[in-house]
Amino acid sequence: MALVRWDPFRELTSIQDRMNRLFGDVYRRGDEDLLTGGAWAPPVDIYENDQHELVLKAEIPGMKREEIQLTVDNDTLTLRGEKKLEQEVTDERTHRVERSYGAFSRTFSLPARVDTAKVSAEYKNGVLTVKLPLREEAKPKQIDVKIAG
């Protein structure tokens, strides 16, 4: 009988695979909803850059700039739009639809230190980039420590 070393990460990977299959089955059952405008949400990254800004990047390919609504109200940023299925392909000629379509809305709470009057946005190559500058008073200050002697 050979000894097999226990690898906890192998167990975690196995559990993750089972969960992915479980939730994948749930989502696959809802494929019809994708054709009729089911709910979806564009993925986003949010980070702070060297220019002392919060940056939000959202992937929303296949949309026109005019179809994207971005609002800032009471320290809340809301991203809305609707990604429409191209009408050039009829249902009877469709073999597979994996991309998401339909209306979406994402809402993000902004920290109080964001200067909402200076928010800017750019849409390029299917990625919306929103820059949220932080107020001057929110910048970290270096304090010199004097030695008493």
Side-chain angles (χ1 to χ4, degrees):
M1 179 169 141
L3 289 176
V4 178
R5 175 171 267 174
W6 180 66
D7 183 4
F9 294 108
R10 185 172 359 142
E11 288 293 319
L12 286 174
T13 303
S14 174
I15 291 170
Q16 183 178 13
D17 288 342
R18 282 189 237 151
M19 293 298 288
N20 287 342
R21 273 185 265 134
L22 171 69
F23 286 113
D25 290 342
V26 171
Y27 288 123
R28 272 194 285 284
R29 280 187 228 125
D31 280 350
E32 307 83 42
D33 292 340
L34 295 176
L35 292 171
T36 59
W40 73 284
V44 298
D45 292 337
I46 302 174
Y47 58 91
E48 191 170 331
N49 66 12
D50 293 337
Q51 288 78 37
H52 205 62
E53 303 170 309
L54 285 180
V55 179
L56 179 141
K57 288 192 174 192
E59 288 184 6
I60 41 179
M63 294 186 67
K64 296 178 184 151
R65 184 185 56 80
E66 304 84 36
E67 298 172 327
I68 302 167
Q69 298 173 2
L70 189 65
T71 56
V72 176
D73 186 33
N74 293 333
D75 296 329
T76 301
L77 175 77
T78 303
L79 172 61
R80 286 190 179 102
E82 183 174 0
K83 190 172 170 187
K84 296 177 181 163
L85 181 65
E86 295 108 12
Q87 296 302 319
E88 62 191 44
V89 180
T90 60
D91 286 343
E92 52 275 351
R93 297 188 75 191
T94 300
H95 294 273
R96 186 177 194 109
V97 175
E98 291 186 353
R99 297 185 297 161
S100 299
Y101 297 95
F104 63 87
S105 180
R106 300 278 318 254
T107 302
F108 304 93
S109 296
L110 299 176
R113 58 191 187 134
V114 169
D115 189 351
T116 57
K118 297 180 181 176
V119 174
S120 64
E122 177 185 47
Y123 183 61
K124 184 178 179 183
N125 296 329
V127 177
L128 176 69
T129 302
V130 182
K131 293 189 177 181
L132 304 143
L134 301 176
R135 291 192 174 97
E136 289 294 321
E137 64 268 14
K139 289 184 180 178
K141 296 177 186 174
Q142 183 67 35
I143 299 171
D144 290 331
V145 177
K146 297 178 182 173
I147 299 174

